[in-house]
C-alpha cells in the first residue's frame, strides 16, 4: 500500500515513494506499535539542528541532519528565488567583481541549486545559509542549513526589473 495514512509510530507516515523509506541507522525490528527511535546529528559549524529534524517523521537520505550527507567546504548566504522543484530550490548569490582597468566594482550574480530538507519551509525571498556538500545530483552541491530571515508575506511581491 503506497502512501498509507496508517501511523505505525512514524514509520508509515511518510511512505509516498514506491520504495520503502526508512533511516539506515534505525532498525525497525520489534517496533510494532511503539514510537521508534529517530536518528539525527549535529552538522557542526555553529548550526543548530532544527526541531523538525529531531521530532519530525520525514525520511530524507540527503538531509544534512538526518541523512548520509556531510557539510564541508564553503558556507554561503543567498536569497531564495525559486522553489518550484521537489526538495530543491534555486538561490541567487550577489557579489562584486573588481575591474582593474576602470578601478571599480561591477555587480555579478550566480544562481545555485540547493537541496532543501523537509525540516525547512522555504519561500521565495528568504535569506538562507547554505553549505557545500558532496554532489547530490547532476547540479546540486549545496544544502540549506538555516533560514536567516524569512520573506515578508505579501501578495505577488516578486521583484521585477
Amino acid at each position: 500500500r503506497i502512501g498509507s495514512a496508517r501511523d505505525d509510530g512514524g514509520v508509515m507516515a511518510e511512505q509516498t515513494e514506491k520504495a520503502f523509506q526508512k533511516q539506515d541507522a534505525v532498525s525497525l525490528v520489534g517496533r510494532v506499535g511503539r514510537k521508534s527511535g529517530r536518528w539525527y546529528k549535529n552538522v557542526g559549524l555553529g548550526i543548530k539542528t532544527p526541531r523538525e529534524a529531531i521530532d519530525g517523521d520525514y525520511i530524507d537520505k540527503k538531509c544534512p541532519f538526518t541523512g548520509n550527507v556531510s557539510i564541508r567546504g564553503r558556507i554561503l548566504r543567498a536569497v531564495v528565488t525559486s522553489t518550484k522543484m521537489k526538495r530543491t530550490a534555486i538561490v541567487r548569490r550577489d557579489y562584486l567583481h573588481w575591474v582593474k582597468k576602470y578601478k571599480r566594482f561591477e555587480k555579478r550574480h550566480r544562481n545555485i541549486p540547493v537541496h532543501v530538507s523537509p525540516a525547512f519551509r522555504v519561500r521565495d525571498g528568504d535569506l538562507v545559509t547554505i553549505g557545500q556538500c558532496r554532489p547530490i545530483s547532476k547540479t546540486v552541491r549545496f544544502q540549506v542549513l538555516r533560514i536567516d530571515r524569512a520573506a515578508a508575506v505579501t501578495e505577488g511581491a516578486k521583484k521585477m526589473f
Side-chain angles (χ1 to χ4, degrees):
R1 296 180 340 172
I2 298 172
S4 174
R6 188 176 94 219
D7 187 23
D8 288 341
V11 176
M12 293 300 290
E14 283 293 318
Q15 298 300 324
T16 58
E17 307 293 329
K18 287 185 179 180
F20 183 74
Q21 303 293 306
K22 69 180 253 345
Q23 286 186 309
D24 290 334
V26 178
S27 174
L28 299 178
V29 177
R31 299 212 185 252
V32 181
R34 62 187 153 126
K35 186 80 172 159
S36 62
R38 181 164 176 82
W39 182 85
Y40 62 92
K41 68 179 177 181
N42 181 7
V43 298
L45 307 167
I47 305 292
K48 294 173 87 174
T49 304
R51 179 60 43 198
E52 178 65 26
I54 298 170
D55 297 335
D57 58 353
Y58 69 87
I59 306 294
D60 185 12
K61 65 180 182 177
K62 298 176 183 178
C63 174
F65 306 104
T66 62
N68 187 21
V69 176
S70 61
I71 303 298
R72 81 285 192 280
R74 294 179 176 244
I75 305 293
L76 307 171
R77 292 178 81 193
V79 178
V80 176
T81 58
S82 173
T83 56
K84 295 176 183 175
M85 292 177 277
K86 181 181 177 184
R87 294 188 181 177
T88 306
I90 301 294
V91 298
R92 178 183 170 117
R93 182 167 172 260
D94 295 315
Y95 59 95
L96 297 174
H97 176 257
W98 176 253
V99 181
K100 194 164 113 178
K101 179 179 176 181
Y102 298 113
K103 297 180 183 169
R104 285 175 171 80
F105 288 101
E106 66 181 2
K107 283 186 179 180
R108 290 189 178 182
H109 81 275
R110 282 282 180 267
N111 288 335
I112 304 171
V114 296
H115 181 267
V116 181
S117 169
F120 299 113
R121 304 281 184 258
V122 296
R123 296 191 318 261
D124 292 1
D126 288 353
L127 182 66
V128 294
T129 299
I130 61 175
Q132 189 177 7
C133 61
R134 64 174 171 80
I136 298 294
S137 68
K138 180 182 174 183
T139 57
V140 177
R141 276 103 176 96
F142 285 88
Q143 297 262 354
V144 171
L145 298 178
R146 176 175 51 207
I147 299 176
D148 295 326
R149 187 178 69 231
V153 180
T154 54
E155 296 181 28
K158 192 160 185 171
K159 180 182 173 186
M160 293 295 178
F161 298 102

